[in-house]
Amino acid sequence: MTSESLPGPAEPYRARFRPGSALRAASGAVPPSGLVLLAVLSVQLGAGLAKNLFAQLPPSAVVFLRIAIGTAILIPFARPRLRGLGRRDLAVGAAFGLSLALMNLSFYEALARLPIGIAVAIEFIGPLGVAVAASRRRLDLLWVALAGAGVILLAPWGVAGGASWAGIGFAALAGLCWAAYIVLSAATGARFPGASGLSFAMIVAVAVIAPVGVASGGTDLLRPEILLVGAGVGLLSSVIPYSLELEALRRMSKRVFGILMSLEPAVAALVGLFVLGEFLQIREWAAIGCVVIASIGATRSG
């Protein structure tokens, strides 16, 4: 999941956090729409790679590994700068970090119980809700109803399928945390200089996840092959998509960017099919389509 990508204008850090300069330089020949789709694919491949780790580590340990490695990658580029900040500023940054930790933990717990396409589709309700809340058009009620219909179709109403109530609950919690992440991202970006708010939040997230992640993962977290896969998850889920999206946003409108990002649940389902061998029913594909159309509609009218 990417779980950090937003179906709309990028959060403040997208314009300030600049890893992967070589990757950005090589992306000049690719059209911006292609860069966004590659970023979406990278995020979902990262989630698929993380899901493969669940056979060796519990989701909480994988989340800790991802956030810890992501923080180690980020800190050299953006160290926290706390001078001049008050208690309220630090509280907002800490809340941002808490939302980041809980978003990833609940999403990975959902991923352990649901096909990736279903988990991402349900999680997308969070940012979709934020997009609709920012608009006052009556048409947005239609998109809310359509997304709600998609979630209803995904629920296991006494029929065979890839969904479970526990997984749906975790995915819905991830969506709620994603909505909080979006709001707190903007608030933190307004209070912290540069990308220091993000790095501060990442450190908070590591501190929150570390007790449960280390306890559940134990010494397996230090195995070289586990660390290598964890680094791959961090690169695919954060560094590569951030760099691609930053370059795309320089060359396209935020609305078009948001519409393309709305394809993420469908891309997740395709990754689940071709990479993880997760076959969905027609009803589940229709539900994912409802969420995608609702997200595109809300982005166009927002």
Side-chain angles (χ1 to χ4, degrees):
M1 169 182 138
T2 120
S3 44
E4 289 98 340
S5 300
L6 309 182
E11 71 265 22
Y13 306 110
R14 292 278 166 84
R16 298 169 184 169
F17 174 37
R18 291 176 162 83
S21 57
L23 180 63
R24 293 197 309 272
S27 66
V30 181
S33 58
L35 294 178
V36 177
L37 294 177
L38 285 173
V40 170
L41 178 61
S42 178
V43 168
Q44 299 312 321
L45 287 174
L49 190 60
K51 186 165 185 173
N52 280 331
L53 271 180
F54 293 165
Q56 304 178 66
L57 291 174
S60 56
V62 178
V63 171
F64 168 71
L65 193 62
R66 174 190 167 175
I67 295 179
I69 291 177
T71 302
I73 294 173
L74 172 63
I75 292 300
F77 296 95
R79 296 182 180 180
R81 288 181 286 173
L82 308 181
R83 181 177 299 176
L85 297 177
R87 291 183 179 179
R88 183 170 296 182
D89 301 323
L90 295 176
V92 170
F96 180 35
L98 179 62
S99 70
L100 176 63
L102 294 179
M103 177 180 67
N104 281 278
L105 179 59
S106 53
F107 175 70
Y108 276 32
E109 290 289 352
L111 206 58
R113 295 166 173 83
L114 299 173
I116 185 173
I118 293 178
V120 172
I122 296 173
E123 186 196 27
F124 237 66
I125 301 301
L128 174 60
V130 173
V132 171
S135 173
R136 303 189 183 279
R137 297 171 183 262
R138 292 184 178 179
L139 181 62
D140 287 327
L141 296 177
L142 170 64
W143 309 130
V144 172
L146 186 60
V151 174
I152 290 174
L153 284 173
L154 288 173
W157 302 107
V159 297
S164 73
W165 286 111
I168 290 174
F170 278 116
L173 178 59
L176 180 63
C177 293
W178 195 355
Y181 170 93
I182 295 171
V183 174
L184 291 168
S185 170
T188 303
R191 294 169 181 267
F192 284 71
S196 64
L198 178 59
S199 56
F200 175 76
M202 291 287 284
I203 293 172
V204 171
V206 171
V208 170
I209 291 295
V212 62
V214 172
S216 61
T219 57
D220 286 339
L221 290 169
L222 301 177
R223 288 162 50 192
E225 64 272 22
I226 295 293
L227 291 173
L228 182 62
V229 176
V233 172
L235 287 170
L236 287 170
S237 300
S238 299
V239 176
I240 292 175
Y242 277 163
S243 300
L244 293 175
E245 290 166 14
L246 174 60
E247 179 63 24
L249 280 167
R250 290 180 176 140
R251 296 157 52 189
M252 70 191 311
S253 70
K254 291 181 179 179
R255 178 167 295 185
V256 175
F257 174 87
I259 290 172
L260 291 172
M261 290 296 295
S262 298
L263 299 175
E264 194 162 342
V267 174
L270 292 174
V271 168
L273 175 63
F274 292 108
V275 176
L276 300 175
E278 296 175 341
F279 292 89
L280 302 181
Q281 298 178 354
I282 294 178
R283 171 178 58 87
E284 293 167 334
W285 281 105
I288 291 171
C290 288
V291 175
V292 169
I293 293 172
S295 183
I296 291 175
T299 301
R300 285 179 58 87
S301 64

